[in-house]
């Protein structure tokens, strides 16, 4: 470099290096920048040497991280300098300072082009390098033909052609159109005949990119690749300088094989045969040697060859040869090779019918599980996990369990999860499965996620034969002196459910069970206590005839916890206590748990979530991913179609079902219509497993019994309609791929309590969550604090208090936004706080109705309107519709059978309850029009109510009509036209949002 | 009295602990790690001097290249803590004779430990007066009691003095020549709009005193401040003399000033400590005499040229003069070439601070030198952001001038022996942040 001559530059650099701190450095740099500005502004101009010097300085300052926004002109102008030193600086500085979006680059295009088509090789190389480094669309468009010409010209030296190939590769990445030239494919094929290995390597890089984009066009290159490979493998005509430790150009070999992997198959038998010969040679010829570099090179070639073999689905013989080779590798002491061996074996598992061959190495793999290197252990674990099937599951799981006690903490969770999955997937018999999981919990309790023991409980509940065995096992574990918390949970649950099956065995009488479980109570966390309480209740229930002593003991405990600070414990204690005094009904309510619906194991799902591997562009990987995703689709559809779900069991969550189901159906319909396979799973999300599992314990018994919960939220369902839909899921339910928003609402007089459920369905947390309510003036809405982040797969609840002030039809809007990744997502959702929520149906007799009706005479208290364009419907349906709006229809009040009379009371904060009266006169001849008269004590109310009813009559989606007739569906004003709302689910969704 | 500190740490800029002292055991020794992680390594450093982390409060302050961190876990008196730090630094400086920085700390470990033991006890600040501490914390060797010569017993003296009525002055001082030096130092802060109207203006002043007086003298200081004069006229029942009276705000006195007498008689009377000290501090917001007027005109001629004309007018007495006047006129970052014409002083372009710097060493009163400059800018790639025009800054010192107009009317010294004293009074006005928008 010509730096030696530039004293000013080296002085400046040493000055900057000698600076004590950042401030000093900044001062020095600013001073220098001032100097450079002065120089560049000099009228006399600068000598080429000076210009070069200052441009170097500028580059140095730029590299230090300062903003240099002047002087680009000088840098670009240096490109056109006639001499090499200046030109070189120009090219280097330009490619550092500018990027493809700078306008200045346009100025340089012409100069660069002149250099490229010029005769001087050095200049050509400089120009090609610069174009390759920053070449954007402009460069690609104007220079690609010239670069192509250079690449295929025979007069150029290989040096230039190498650079041209790489430059073209870069341009192609920016703008794939550059190779859309007639005959380029043929030229590319010709290029592969090149004898010079350097040019060939560069061209092969280009080919890899081209083929990965569009392999069909380049069929003709395939035989050439094979030929190249043959040439290399046979070591024919390879110059000395292209061999690396005796291996003929390993880079080119790897690239060629990579390119071959982009072609789906090789049809030509001759080519195929010769390729296999080469591969055979590579497979046979590679061995482990002392020299590290040689090893690296030869193994790179070998592993690429393995990948190619797998890709080509070669004959079994070759496969087994590969596996044998890998088996040799994993027995080697050198950790790198062992790692690669294990990794490739794991990949190999994707190919069919080599599993048996791999299984022969099982012992060796298990030894690797004890390797001092953790990454090798991880690979070994992956491999064991992958190769496990029914035949070897027992061995492998046992091995994993053994290893678990010595494994380091970082791996234990994964290990226990995998062991649990394998045990579940390949259990030869179920008692073995229970054994394994209990052992797992015993050995690594801290690392066993809740999902694992939930799954055991599900299994045991669903398999009756298993129940006594599991209970006995749990009993055994309880005898151990110190057992893990999770073990306490699982055994308490099992003994509570199934302990009575053991009653005849020694040491398993209810009393003994109780005392052994109760021993653990003082040691457990508050999250476990509820489970223990449930167990006590169950033991109490199963003790027949009742044992007064045990009963008193257990009641004593319930009594103690009735004042517990933990709401969950307190609620359970109170409820169980009350329930257990009911005698016979206790039997019904605390009866054995019903079977769980079959569903995909949450564990497997979890494992799949974690298996997001680094995506390599290799064809094998790609295919593997395709397989995996199709598997996912299959498993997902099953639960999506099975509507009966855990929700129905958990009474606390959603008591009224019919709407909800329709909702689910509608949503399924929606998601399929839109062609998005977003999973609309009517089951509770996995984060809710606990609630799912334990929900039935909290309040048990079939719906309709007179169980009154503490907070009086859930009264018996529809038999007390005036608590107004205890907690119906209303149609403001938004579900995107990442967020699920649900609503639970409860209305009483002029007040309402709405709970928003914000659920994050992703594996990453949602950040910057904001929810703002834009209430209309007639509502007072208080939203409690919405957390800024929602953790992955979690749900948060935000209670809302709504108070009605005045009658109005405006709707409150929830403005909800969050950040997912880098995108800000914003959604506006209407809240179902509409007018009729504050109505209360009241039935009036004729004696009350007519005086009122007469006293409210004429506008503005009494308004009449003829409504046209009404959706025709029978009178009975209309009456049902009115009832669902909480307008109580009083049949028989009006002598005319074609008329309807309805009454209701309206609640708001400011006024007393107000009576509203409605009369509808229909025309039996023309059902699309009717006359409506509305009367109330308040002019605004009259008007708003009239408009509200009108809106509802004009736009009623028929899809919702039948459920509406049965249940009080809270309607939402539908601004879309009725026809659109009927046919187009997308429009329906739009209406909801 | 609330606690001021549970522990004090001295850290260098990298966050290494140079020295620390735990006064109470309610904070752990590793709390400073929290400071390092949560404050020093974040961008919040320097934005907020009080932070609460993990149940502990951190008060910190940077002095040259040292961070002084006070950690408290209880409800502490923050002002007291910061005052303690400031005083402690002043104490260290007087011991080290000058700078307080990392090297000074490293060179004086033993001394600092000794001082830290002395100046705070169980979290409560103790005597921080250098004069007194120097009596018994010395850097010289202490003579062994077994040595043959009788010692002059300085230590009992010290305790007596600390607990005595006049804690800040030793008895039995004798000077051949009794002298008092009085300095009134004011700094003017100004922000003026481009149209010449004053947006913000105030003067912060302090009276520094150096006493070389024998015995236990009682001093009385008279200024031309409003309350003092009014009180005086009341007592003497005669109208105030015509002339300017000054209204002082936010007056704070040295501890030696007798506050009861100030409250009743509005006179500043005190028994001074020996040597140098700051007698009082004050602030003035009304009726400030600005020493300089600056009249800038800056014209942007197209994208690459600017014309700058600045006229500075000195409005103090013609006999007085200002020293070290520096006027900094900001110019855009892409300034390439400059040319100047000045009527006095010299001007140049400083690229490091992006300013035209005009320096005038001696600036007589009632004159108005001008500077005109032509600035050429270099064109840049990026679309030029409109220049924000930062304000012109000015530095100066004007001796024998007070921007507030404050004067010392008298300084009386009484001593039992009735010696004569010589009093010297000096005035100086400096620029604080003297800014003129343009």
């Amino acid at each position: 470099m010509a730096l030696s001559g530039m004293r000013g530059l080296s002085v400046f650099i040493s000055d900057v290096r000698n600076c004590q701190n950042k401030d000093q450095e900044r001062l020095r740099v600013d001073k220098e920048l001032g100097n450079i500005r002065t120089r560049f502004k000099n009228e006399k101009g600068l000598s080429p040497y000076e210009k070069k010097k200052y441009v170097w300085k500028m580059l140095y300052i730029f590299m230090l991280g300062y903003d240099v926004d002047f002087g680009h002109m000088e840098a670009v102008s240096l490109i056109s300098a006639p001499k090499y030193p200046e030109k070189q600086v120009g090219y280097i500085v330009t490619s550092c300072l500018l990027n493809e979006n700078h306008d200045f680059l346009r100025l340089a295009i012409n100069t660069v082009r002149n250099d490229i088509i010029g005769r001087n090789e050095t200049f050509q190389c400089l120009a090609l390098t610069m174009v390759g480094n920053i070449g954007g669309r402009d460069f690609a468009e104007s220079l690609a033909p010239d670069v192509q010409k250079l690449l295929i010209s025979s007069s150029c030296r290989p040096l230039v052609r190498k650079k041209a190939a790489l430059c073209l590769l870069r341009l192609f990445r920016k703008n794939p159109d550059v190779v859309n030239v007639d005959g380029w494919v043929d030229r590319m094929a010709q290029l592969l005949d090149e004898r010079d290995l350097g040019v060939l390597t560069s061209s092969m890089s280009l080919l890899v990119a081209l083929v990965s984009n569009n392999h069909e066009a380049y069929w003709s290159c395939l035989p050439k690749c094979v030929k190249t490979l043959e040439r290399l493998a046979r070591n024919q005509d390879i110059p000395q300088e292209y061999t690396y430790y005796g291996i003929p150009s390993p880079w080119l070999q790897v690239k060629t094989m990579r390119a071959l992997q982009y072609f789906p198959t090789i049809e030509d038998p001759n080519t195929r045969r010769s390729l296999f010969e080469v591969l055979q040679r590579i497979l046979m010829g590679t061995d482990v040697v002392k020299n590290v570099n040689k090893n690296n090179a030869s193994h790179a070639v070998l592993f690429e060859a393995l990948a190619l073999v797998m890709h080509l689905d070669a004959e079994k013989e070759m496969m087994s040869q590969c596996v044998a080779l890998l088996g040799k590798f994993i027995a080697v002491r050198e950790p790198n090779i062992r790692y690669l061996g294990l990794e490739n074996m794991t990949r190999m598992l994707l190919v069919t019918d080599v599993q048996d061959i791999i299984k022969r190495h099982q012992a060796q793999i298990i030894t690797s599980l004890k390797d001092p290197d953790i990454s090798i252990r991880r690979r070994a674990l992956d491999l064991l996990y992958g190769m496990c099937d029914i035949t070897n599951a027992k061995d492998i799981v046992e091995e994993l369990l053994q290893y678990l006690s010595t494994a380091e903490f970082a791996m234990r969770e994964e290990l226990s999860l995998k062991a649990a999955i394998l045990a579940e997937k390949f259990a030869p018999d179920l008692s073995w499965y229970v054994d394994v999981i209990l052992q797992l919990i015993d050995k690594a309790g801290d690392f066993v996620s809740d999902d694992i023991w939930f799954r055991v409980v599900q299994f045991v509940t669903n398999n009756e034969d298993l129940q006594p065995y599991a209970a006995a096992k749990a009993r055994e574990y309880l005898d151990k002196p110190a057992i893990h918390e999770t073990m306490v949970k699982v055994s308490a649950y099992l003994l509570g459910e199934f302990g009575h099956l053991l009653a005849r065995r020694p040491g398993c009488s209810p009393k003994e069970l109780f005392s052994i479980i109760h021993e653990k109570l003082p040691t457990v966390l508050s999250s476990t206590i509820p489970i223990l309480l449930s167990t006590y209740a169950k033991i109490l229930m199963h003790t027949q005839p009742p044992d007064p002593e045990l009963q008193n003991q257990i009641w004593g405990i319930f009594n103690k916890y009735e004042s517990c600070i933990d709401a969950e414990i307190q609620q359970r204690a109170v409820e169980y206590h009350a329930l257990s005094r009911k005698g016979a009904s206790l039997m019904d309510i605390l009866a054995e748990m019903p079977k769980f619906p079959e569903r995909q194991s949450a564990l497997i799902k979890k494992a799949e979530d974690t298996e997001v591997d680094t995506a390599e562009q290799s064809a094998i990987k790609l295919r593997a991913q395709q397989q995996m995703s199709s598997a996912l689709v299959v498993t997902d559809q099953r639960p999506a179609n099975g509507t009966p779900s855990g929700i129905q069991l958990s009474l606390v969550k959603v008591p009224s079902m019919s709407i909800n189901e329709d909702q689910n159906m509608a949503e399924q319909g929606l998601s399929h219509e839109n062609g998005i396979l977003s999973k609309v799973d009517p089951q509770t999300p996995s984060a809710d497993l606990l609630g799912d599992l334990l929900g039935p314990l909290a309040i048990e018994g079939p719906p309709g019994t007179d169980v009154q919960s503490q907070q009086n939220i859930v009264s018996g369902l529809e038999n007390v309609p005036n608590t107004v839909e205890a907690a119906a899921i209303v149609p403001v339910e938004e579900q995107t791929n990442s967020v699920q928003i649900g609503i639970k609402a409860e209305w009483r007089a002029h007040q309402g309590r709405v709970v928003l459920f914000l659920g994050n369905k992703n594996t990453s947390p949602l950040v910057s969550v904001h929810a703002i309510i834009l209430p209309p003036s007639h509502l007072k809405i208080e939203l409690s604090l919405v957390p800024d982040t929602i953790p992955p797969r979690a749900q948060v609840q935000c209670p809302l208090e709504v108070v009605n002030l005045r009658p109005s039809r405006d709707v409150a809007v929830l403005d909800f936004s969050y950040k997912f990744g880098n995108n800000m997502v914003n959604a506006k959702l209407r809240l179902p706080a509409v007018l009729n929520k504050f109505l209360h149906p009241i039935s009036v007799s004729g004696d009350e109705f007519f005086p009122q009706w007469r006293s409210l005479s004429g506008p503005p208290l009494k308004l009449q309107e003829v409504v046209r364009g009404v959706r025709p419907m029978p009178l009975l349906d209309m009456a049902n519709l009115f009832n669902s709006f909480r307008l109580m229809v009083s049949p028989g009040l009006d002598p005319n059978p074609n008329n309807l009379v309805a009454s209701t009371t309206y609640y708001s904060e400011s006024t007393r309850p107000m009576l509203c009266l409605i009369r509808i006169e229909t025309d039996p001849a023309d059902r699309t029009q009717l006359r409506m008269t509305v009367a109330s004590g308040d002019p605004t109310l009259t008007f708003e109510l009239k408009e509200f009813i009108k809106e509802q009559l004009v736009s009623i989606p028929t899809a919702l009509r039948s459920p509406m007739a049965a249940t009080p569906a809270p309607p939402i004003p539908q601004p879309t036209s009725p026809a659109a709302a009927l046919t187009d689910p997308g429009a329906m969704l739009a209406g909801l949002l | 009295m609330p606690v001021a500190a549970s522990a004090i740490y001295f850290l260098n800029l990298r966050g290494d602990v140079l020295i620390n002292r735990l006064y109470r055991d309610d904070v752990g020794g590793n709390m400073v790690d929290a400071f390092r992680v949560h404050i020093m390594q974040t961008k919040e450093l320097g934005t907020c001097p009080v932070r609460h982390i993990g149940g502990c409060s951190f008060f910190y302050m940077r002095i040259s290249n040292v961070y002084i961190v006070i950690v408290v876990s209880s409800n502490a008196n923050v002002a007291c803590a910061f005052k303690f730090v400031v005083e402690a630094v002043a104490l260290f400086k007087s011991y080290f004779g000058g700078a307080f920085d990392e090297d000074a700390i490293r060179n004086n470990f033993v001394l600092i430990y000794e001082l830290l033991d002395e100046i705070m006890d169980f979290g409560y600040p103790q005597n921080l007066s250098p004069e007194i501490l120097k009596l018994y914390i010395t850097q010289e060797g202490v003579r062994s009691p077994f040595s043959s010569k009788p010692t002059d017993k300085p230590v009992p003296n010290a305790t007596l003095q600390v607990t005595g009525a006049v804690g800040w002055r030793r008895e039995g001082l004798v000077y051949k020549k009794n002298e008092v030096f009085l300095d009134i130092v004011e700094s003017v802060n100004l922000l003026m709009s481009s149209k010449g109207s004053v947006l913000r203006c105030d003067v912060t002043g302090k009276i520094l005193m150096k006493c070389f007086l024998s015995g236990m003298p009682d001093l009385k200081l008279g200024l031309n401040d409003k309350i003092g004069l009014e009180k005086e006229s009341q007592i003497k029942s005669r109208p105030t003399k015509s002339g300017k009276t000054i209204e002082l705000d936010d007056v704070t006195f040295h501890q030696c000033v007798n506050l009861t007498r100030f409250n009743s008689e509005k006179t500043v009377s005190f028994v001074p400590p020996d040597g140098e000290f700051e007698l009082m501090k004050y602030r003035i917001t009304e009726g400030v005499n600005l020493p300089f007027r600056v009249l800038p005109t800056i014209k942007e001629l197209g994208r690459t040229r600017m014309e700058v004309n600045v006229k500075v007018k000195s409005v103090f007495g013609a006999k007085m003069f200002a020293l070290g006047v520096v006027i900094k006129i900001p110019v855009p970052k892409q300034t390439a070439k400059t040319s100047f014409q000045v009527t006095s002083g010299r001007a140049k372009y400083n690229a490091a601070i992006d300013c035209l710097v005009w320096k005038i060493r001696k600036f007589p009163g009632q004159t108005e030198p001008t500077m005109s400059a032509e600035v050429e800018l270099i064109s840049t790639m990026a679309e030029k952001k409109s220049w924000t025009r930062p304000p012109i800054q000015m530095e100066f010192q004007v001796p024998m001038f007070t921007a507030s107009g404050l004067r010392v009317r008298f300084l009386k010294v009484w001593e039992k022996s009735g010696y004569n004293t010589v009093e010297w009074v000096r005035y100086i006005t400096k620029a604080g942040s003297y800014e003129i928008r343009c």
Side-chain angles (χ1 to χ4, degrees), chain A residues 37-38 41 69 72 102 104, chain B residues 333 335-337 349 377 381:
Chain A
R37 283 197 296 262
T38 317
K41 194 70 184 177
D69 55 354
H72 296 126
H102 269 114
F104 255 100
Chain B
K333 222 171 160 38
T335 298
K337 268 181 78 182
Y349 167 60
L377 309 176
M381 282 276 303

Side-chain angles (χ1 to χ4, degrees), chain A residues 26-28 30-38 40-43 69-72 98 102-104, chain B residues 13 62 304 332-338 349-354 376-382 385:
Chain A
R26 196 187 56 77
L27 288 179
R28 181 68 187 89
D30 277 344
K31 190 179 153 202
E32 194 60 42
L33 281 177
N35 181 24
I36 298 172
R37 283 197 296 262
T38 317
F40 281 168
K41 194 70 184 177
N42 208 340
E43 286 90 9
D69 55 354
F70 65 96
H72 296 126
L98 299 181
H102 269 114
D103 295 337
F104 255 100
Chain B
L13 293 185
R62 183 179 161 175
T304 57
K333 222 171 160 38
Q334 60 269 38
T335 298
K337 268 181 78 182
T338 46
Y349 167 60
N350 188 338
I353 55 173
D354 293 315
E376 276 186 64
L377 309 176
I378 198 163
S379 58
T380 58
M381 282 276 303
K385 285 171 258 158

Side-chain angles (χ1 to χ4, degrees), chain A residues 40-102:
Chain A
F40 281 168
K41 194 70 184 177
N42 208 340
E43 286 90 9
K44 280 174 278 175
L46 296 167
S47 70
Y49 167 77
E50 279 176 321
K51 206 185 242 182
K52 184 176 80 177
K53 187 172 87 176
Y54 291 118
V55 170
W56 272 130
K57 276 188 186 173
M58 218 168 67
L59 179 64
Y60 185 73
I61 291 170
F62 177 75
M63 275 158 43
L64 287 176
Y66 296 89
D67 208 15
V68 180
D69 55 354
F70 65 96
H72 296 126
M73 194 61 216
E74 270 71 17
V76 172
S77 71
L78 274 179
I79 291 179
S80 49
K83 286 204 190 121
Y84 174 77
E86 281 85 43
K87 207 183 248 310
Q88 178 214 21
V89 177
Y91 274 120
I92 290 179
V93 176
T94 309
S95 56
C96 286
L97 290 184
L98 299 181
N99 64 35
E100 54 176 297
N101 300 322
H102 269 114

Side-chain angles (χ1 to χ4, degrees), chain A residues 8-22:
Chain A
L9 179 61
S10 47
V11 166
F12 171 62
I13 291 176
S14 67
D15 273 3
V16 168
R17 283 185 183 162
N18 286 336
C19 284
Q20 299 282 327
N21 53 39
K22 198 81 192 155

